[in-house]
Structures are given as C-alpha cells and as structure tokens.
Amino acid sequence: MKRLLLLIACLLPLSAAAQLPVILHSHNDYTRTVPFWEAYSQHCTSIEADVFLQDGEILVAHNREDVQAGNSLRRMYIEPIVQTFRANGGRMWKGSPDRLILMVDLKEAAALPGVVSLVEAFPDVFCSPDGVQVVISGDEPEPHEFDNYPPCIWFDGLIDRDYTPEQLSRVGMVSTNFRKFARKWNGKGRMTDPELNAVKQAIAKVHAMGKPIRFWGGPEGTTAYFTFWKLGVDIINTDKPAVASLFFSDWGNKNFIMGRHHVDSGVTGTTKLDAATRDFSGFQNEKLQLTRRIPTYTPTYWNDGSKKKIKNVILLIGDGMGLNQIAAGAYANRRDLTLLKLKSIGIQFYNPQDDFIGDSASGGSALATGELSWTRHIASNHDGSVAYPSLTDYFKGLGKATGVVSLGDVADATPAAFYGHTSERDSTERITRYMLQSQVDLICGSGRDYFEDPRKDGVDMIAGTRANGYTYITDALQVNNTPGKVICLDNRMGAYATEETLSFLADITRVSIDKMVQSSSKGFFLMVEGAKIDYAGHSECFPASVIEQLGFDLAVAEALKFADSNGETLVVVTADHETGGLTLLDGDLESGHVLAVYNSDDHTPTVVPVFAYGPGSREFTGTYINTEIARTIKRLVTK
C-alpha cells in the first residue's frame, strides 16, 4: 500500500499541467498499472471502466472470467474521483476548468441500476453543472428509455442511429469503430483518399449532431495522434495515456501556424543560458505569431563561384541553427527561404577538443579563429594563456574594416570570440574589457544595462570607449550615421523577435554593411549573429525558433543583396552548433503549420550546414571540421 501511495504521489504533480488541446480517453483504464490515477495524472479527461454485476456489487473487468472480488467501481473510480473533486474545491484539476468524463461500459445491462445508485450517492460530484459527467456505454438502454434515468446519467451515442431532439440531449458523445471507415490505415503515412473521405464524413456527421466524436479501434502513434487532431476528432482514444499525453502536452510550444490563431498566454523562458544572457525575460507566447509569410530574395548568381578577388566577407551565424531549424522556417514560409537559394552547401562538424558536444564558446571560437577550441573557452588555448587571433584581427591586418553584430548580448560567447580571449565564457567583465581595448570598428548588440552599470570594479566603461577612440551609442539603426569606431549597445537587440520587429536584424545588417563600406576603401569583414534561435532551443519553444529563423533569413537576404550589388563579396552562412535536437513531426504546407518537438534543452552533436555565395563559394562544399571555415576564408582573401 505504501508503494502504491508513493507512486500516486509521484504521478499527481503531473496533473497540474496545462490543458491538452483534445480530450484523451483512457480506454480500458482498469488495465493500467495504477487505474484512474495514471490517466488522471496525465490529464486524461475521459476515463473508461468496464463493469459487471456480481453478488449485488459493480465490479470492474473486461471479461466475466477476469472479475475479482474487491475490484469494485466504487473503490477503483468513484471514491478517488469524489475525494479529488472535493479536495480541489469542486473541480478535478487545480487551476484547470476541465471536466472529467467517466465512461462506464456495461458488459451487462443488469449493472446499470447499481451504477446509477453510486452516482446518485454523490450529487455534488456527479449531478452538478460543473461536476463529473458519467456516460453509459456498452449494453445501454434504448434511446426511448433515456428519460427513465436521472439527468446526471448520459449515454454514448451511435453514429447511425436517429435520435429525437430530446433523446439527443442525453447523448454525451458518439463513439464508433474506426475500422468501419478506414480498414487499412495503420497510423503511418497518409490514409488513402477513400478512407480519408469516409473518416471526414463520419466526423462531419457527428458534429452536425452537435456532439463530440470518439473513434475506438484506431491506431496510435505520432502520426495517428496528429491526424486525428487535424481532422477535428474531439476525443482521442488511447491505450497509452502517458504517451498520448506527452505528445499533446505543451502543445503551443510544439506548433507554429502561419496566421493568427489561439495560443496560450504566458511566457516560455529558460534559465539555462550563460552569464551574459541569463537575464533574458523569455518568449511571450501570444507574441509568437506571424500573419503573413516573409518575402525572400533570389540572388543574381552573377559572381557566385567565380575566382574573382574577394574584397569583403560577411559571415552570418545562426546560433543553435541546425538543418531542422532551417527546414521548419522554410515549411512555415511555404518552402521558401533566401538561405535555401544558395547553391554552395557544405556540412561542418563542431566537436571541441575536450568533449563530444560543443557550445557557443568552442563553436564560435573555431569559426572566429580557425583553431580547434575547448568548451567554455573564448578564442584561447586550454588554460587561457595563449590568445588565438580571430578573423577580425586578420582582416584588420589587411587594412580592412571589421564589425561584430549580435542579436543578443555582445559579451555572449559567439560575438566575444571575434574580439575577446578567456578560458571561461562567463567571465563577462574580462570579455567587456577586451571589447574596450578592441580594434574592431563596429561592435553592436545588447548588454547596455551591464555596460552602463558603474559598479563593475569601479571601471567607467563609457569613458573606456572614448579612451580607445570609440563612440558609444544606443540605437543600432544609427551606426552608419556615426563616424569612426562605434560600440552600440541597443537593448532592443536582446528582445525576442515579433511580427513588428521581425526585420530588425535585417535592418541592422544593412546599416552595418553601410558602416563597413564607409570605414575602409580596402574592404571589410562583418560577422552577424542570429542569437535567439539558440534561446528558443534551450527554452523548447518551437514557435520562437521559427520566427527567429525567419528574421535571420531576412538578414541573409540583405547580405546577398549587397553581394550582388558589389560583386567582390563572399557571404558565408552557418551555425556554431545545433540546440535542442529539433525533430519535425508533421505539418501542412498550405497553412504553414509545422509540428515539431525538441529532444533536449541543450546543445546536440548533430552536424550543421554551411552555405556560401559569391566569389570562392565553391570552396565551402563538402564535409569538414568547423575550423576549416575561418581557414578557408583567410586563404581565399589572400589569393
């Protein structure tokens, strides 16, 4: 008994989870390891028990030979329901208005009077407007007999039966055998058109009756659950409540749909970020919507792959951007991204020196320096005693302008790798000191509050910028109107993208390119980071990932537009690592609906793509370690 109570205690906290987008019906619930409690803890709002009458008691079992004394409907279901309902102040789940449906499947009609007596014994639970709904199924009475039973007793309807309006008012749901409409479908792939149409017609018929529909005898699994949901099945039958509940849980963070639609309010955030970004306030769910697809740019390809001399390099890094993040953005945008119009594509591994899975520090450092790095290290050797020169140092040595732009904190690992050096990515103050001493012409991102805080070891950071020839500004869209070296800390860059701000990174990329052109006639190197694709992965917030990916794609378009107008610019687009192990499960091309799940809230070792455009772009095809990107850039520029 103690072990049972302990198991129940472990399960119960799950019941406080957010409402599921469908009613899950725990079919043959009494076969669960812990009847009632397992389904209840998974927020199944419909639970089924088969019953027999034996020796004046209503007992739960599937077959007569399985009936065991003590397995009564009262003990297994009625009493725990009553106790829970009353303990929660007149509802089944704290913080949720969901009602529970208790389906009692009569294996023999003689059991019905006993079920009615049990229900009527607790009128506050089963006979109140917001109480538990009891639905009788199986060997139930004929419709003309429904009025012989109290109003708190409902009945399971039949799809092919004609009901009078009065009889229909006593029908709680309509259950039907799925195999009557789709005999072949096993839950994998798509139903054949005849079967799909038959299922749609059945759903439409029941909905025309004003009732919810439940199919029994159907398949289960990811595709089956999503198909039933998409078709509008109200009550999804399951013999695997934990699996089905996990699939539908946190539904808003697993789905992106182009256009306005209902989303749960609240914030999806994470505390699993580094020192520079741990104050990120999270993604506001209702803001993670787009009413229309984004425009894309088709390059001219005039100088793509040529051997023309390279004057400028623009490196765009989608932090946490794996192939599935890119694919998700493309599907949401009707398979259209500027990024996917690039023809030179490679694959890079990003394993660090000391681990299998890399982070932004090791990945960003390898991209910045061409040297294999260690986790948490910023452009330095294993103990931080040797600083690895970055691409900004290399291009500055060629007399070219350099810029580092991040749609996140400029002291975060990826941008820091292009101007700083330390063996610990959380050494924010040390990284900031490197920023003040940097020769980079433009450093732009968020982090203004930290930078302007006078308590940082008594260092006046704003004065430090002036001492090194920088002008300090706080509006990223004014960097091209500010002469000389610029440090811009604009806190808008630390906020997540919304429909209103989706083009912000693209706008900043455009003015930053203008700034680079103004800064040197010899050319430039500019790194632009889309930081919050990574934040979305750590937060397991898929809608945010799609929107950040689309905002990043707009920035890629600006880089390509300049490359086409200039003819001497190499554009490279890649990631420092993938975050979340994102897996795409299903979707719809026409509506821009994509269903996806994260398999982790951390980085993964999956490979990431490399896209290149302009002179020398063919050199980035193939498969290689991430250090080759910086090395190839340097080799091409010095040709």
Side-chain angles (χ1 to χ4, degrees):
M1 184 62 179
K2 288 182 179 179
R3 293 178 63 187
L4 175 60
L5 291 175
L6 179 60
L7 176 57
I8 292 172
C10 292
L11 290 170
L12 278 176
L14 297 176
S15 67
Q19 294 168 257
L20 303 180
V22 294
I23 293 174
L24 290 184
H25 178 86
S26 182
H27 178 246
N28 292 342
D29 181 78
Y30 47 87
T31 63
R32 309 282 94 81
T33 303
V34 185
F36 173 72
W37 292 109
E38 184 176 340
Y40 171 78
S41 71
Q42 304 300 331
H43 212 103
C44 292
T45 48
S46 184
I47 295 176
E48 177 185 339
D50 297 355
V51 298
F52 292 88
L53 174 65
Q54 180 170 294
D55 299 328
E57 192 172 19
I58 307 301
L59 299 179
V60 177
H62 189 66
N63 300 301
R64 169 63 71 176
E65 57 268 25
D66 297 327
V67 171
Q68 296 182 21
N71 286 349
S72 68
L73 181 67
R74 181 181 186 113
R75 181 187 68 82
M76 294 175 67
Y77 291 96
I78 300 298
E79 289 180 352
I81 287 173
V82 169
Q83 292 167 6
T84 302
F85 187 85
R86 291 174 175 172
N88 289 336
R91 59 179 53 182
M92 285 304 300
W93 289 272
K94 288 182 179 179
S96 171
D98 284 346
R99 294 181 67 188
L100 176 68
I101 300 170
L102 176 61
M103 175 177 279
V104 181
D105 191 333
L106 304 177
K107 292 300 184 178
E108 52 189 11
L112 182 54
V115 174
V116 173
S117 296
L118 282 172
V119 170
E120 290 188 307
F122 306 98
D124 62 315
V125 178
F126 299 104
C127 302
S128 64
D130 298 322
V132 176
Q133 183 181 25
V134 176
V135 177
I136 302 300
S137 185
D139 197 359
E140 61 185 270
E142 293 296 318
H144 69 271
E145 299 178 286
F146 287 173
D147 278 346
N148 296 337
Y149 298 91
C152 55
I153 296 295
W154 298 70
F155 299 94
D156 192 15
L158 299 177
I159 194 170
D160 296 324
R161 177 165 286 179
D162 292 326
Y163 295 95
T164 67
E166 293 76 15
Q167 293 165 357
L168 192 60
S169 68
R170 300 296 300 277
V171 172
M173 69 175 74
V174 173
S175 299
T176 187
N177 185 356
F178 181 74
R179 295 306 172 193
K180 289 175 60 177
F181 312 98
R183 299 182 61 184
K184 298 178 180 178
W185 191 55
N186 64 355
K188 307 292 190 295
R190 187 181 186 274
M191 277 183 262
T192 63
D193 284 342
E195 291 192 344
L196 181 61
N197 290 332
V199 172
K200 287 180 176 179
Q201 290 171 12
I203 295 170
K205 182 176 182 178
V206 174
H207 285 174
M209 298 164 62
K211 299 297 175 181
I213 187 171
R214 175 181 72 97
F215 289 111
W216 53 269
E220 294 204 52
T222 296
T223 302
Y225 296 146
F226 185 71
T227 300
F228 288 141
W229 175 84
K230 189 164 59 172
L231 290 174
V233 176
D234 309 279
I235 303 174
I236 294 183
N237 202 73
T238 180
D239 290 306
K240 304 173 182 178
V243 174
S245 179
L246 181 62
F247 176 80
F248 285 110
S249 65
D250 202 23
W251 191 244
N253 284 323
K254 293 176 179 174
N255 288 267
F256 179 85
I257 303 173
M258 189 66 72
R260 291 293 176 187
H261 56 96
H262 173 75
V263 296
D264 292 331
S265 61
V267 173
T268 300
T270 180
T271 58
K272 292 182 69 64
L273 298 175
D274 55 89
T277 54
R278 62 175 50 143
D279 291 331
F280 176 61
S281 59
F283 298 101
Q284 188 174 334
N285 297 337
E286 55 265 38
K287 293 286 189 179
L288 300 178
Q289 300 190 65
L290 300 177
T291 58
R292 61 184 64 87
R293 294 175 174 86
I294 67 165
T296 58
Y297 173 71
T298 301
T300 65
Y301 306 106
W302 290 337
N303 295 291
D304 189 31
S306 72
K307 295 183 179 180
K308 193 173 183 179
K309 184 173 179 61
I310 297 171
K311 182 178 181 181
N312 314 302
V313 174
I314 304 174
L315 172 62
L316 297 106
I317 300 174
D319 198 325
M321 181 186 73
L323 187 57
N324 276 346
Q325 281 82 354
I326 297 170
Y331 280 130
N333 210 48
R334 198 173 284 177
R335 289 186 299 194
D336 187 20
L337 286 182
T338 297
L339 180 58
L340 294 181
K341 297 177 182 181
L342 303 190
K343 298 177 180 179
S344 296
I345 305 173
I347 294 174
Q348 57 123 324
F349 292 89
Y350 49 87
N351 314 93
Q353 289 272 30
D354 57 342
D355 205 352
F356 189 62
I357 299 176
D359 65 345
S360 292
S362 62
S365 295
L367 295 174
T369 68
E371 299 293 335
L372 199 59
S373 186
W374 288 259
T375 52
R376 308 197 65 81
H377 285 53
I378 303 295
S380 69
N381 68 340
H382 68 285
D383 61 4
S385 60
V386 177
Y388 294 152
S390 72
L391 286 171
T392 58
D393 298 312
Y394 182 79
F395 278 78
K396 182 57 68 174
L398 298 176
K400 297 177 184 288
T402 56
V404 175
V405 175
S406 173
L407 201 64
D409 196 299
V410 290
D412 199 7
T414 302
F418 287 85
Y419 63 81
H421 310 277
T422 176
S423 59
E424 174 49 60
R425 61 181 291 172
D426 276 354
S427 299
T428 309
E429 291 188 20
R430 184 173 183 183
I431 291 171
T432 305
R433 290 173 186 271
Y434 271 110
M435 185 197 312
L436 300 180
Q437 301 164 9
S438 173
Q439 296 305 307
V440 177
D441 296 279
L442 171 64
I443 298 177
C444 182
S446 68
R448 175 180 175 181
D449 295 342
Y450 181 91
F451 193 78
E452 294 180 354
D453 187 343
R455 295 170 297 173
K456 303 304 179 190
D457 286 348
V459 176
D460 186 337
M461 295 186 182
I462 297 177
T465 62
R466 298 192 187 102
N468 195 26
Y470 281 107
T471 298
Y472 171 60
I473 65 173
T474 58
D475 185 348
L477 298 180
Q478 295 300 315
V479 297
N480 61 329
N481 295 324
T482 308
K485 293 167 58 181
V486 174
I487 287 179
C488 174
L489 298 184
D490 186 337
N491 278 358
R492 293 177 296 174
M493 300 179 73
Y496 59 86
T498 66
E499 182 144 47
E500 294 71 26
T501 64
L502 190 65
S503 66
F504 195 37
L505 182 60
D507 296 337
I508 295 168
T509 300
R510 184 172 57 256
V511 297
S512 297
I513 292 172
D514 289 345
K515 173 66 175 174
M516 293 293 95
V517 173
Q518 296 169 16
S519 298
S520 175
S521 61
K522 294 184 177 181
F524 66 84
F525 169 81
L526 175 66
M527 189 284 290
V528 177
E529 183 200 21
K532 285 181 282 293
I533 302 170
D534 174 68
Y535 294 19
H538 285 302
S539 302
E540 298 181 80
C541 185
F542 178 60
S545 177
V546 173
I547 292 175
E548 296 292 340
Q549 182 68 52
L550 294 178
F552 182 71
D553 196 66
L554 292 173
V556 172
E558 291 301 320
L560 297 181
K561 291 174 186 177
F562 175 78
D564 279 341
S565 69
N566 171 267
E568 300 176 297
T569 300
L570 168 66
V571 178
V572 179
V573 188
T574 189
D576 49 359
H577 55 75
E578 193 274 348
T579 303
L582 185 66
T583 299
L584 308 188
L585 297 179
D586 215 319
D588 180 76
L589 286 174
E590 186 60 31
S591 65
H593 183 183
V594 188
L595 168 69
V597 295
Y598 288 101
N599 294 299
S600 171
D601 61 359
D602 204 352
H603 307 157
T604 69
T606 184
V607 296
V608 295
V610 183
F611 301 84
Y613 180 77
S617 61
R618 301 290 186 268
E619 297 296 315
F620 294 88
T621 60
T623 305
Y624 39 83
I625 192 73
N626 54 3
T627 53
E628 289 303 309
I629 295 172
R631 295 177 183 182
T632 302
I633 288 173
K634 289 191 284 186
R635 175 169 52 82
L636 291 172
V637 170
T638 54
K639 274 188 175 181

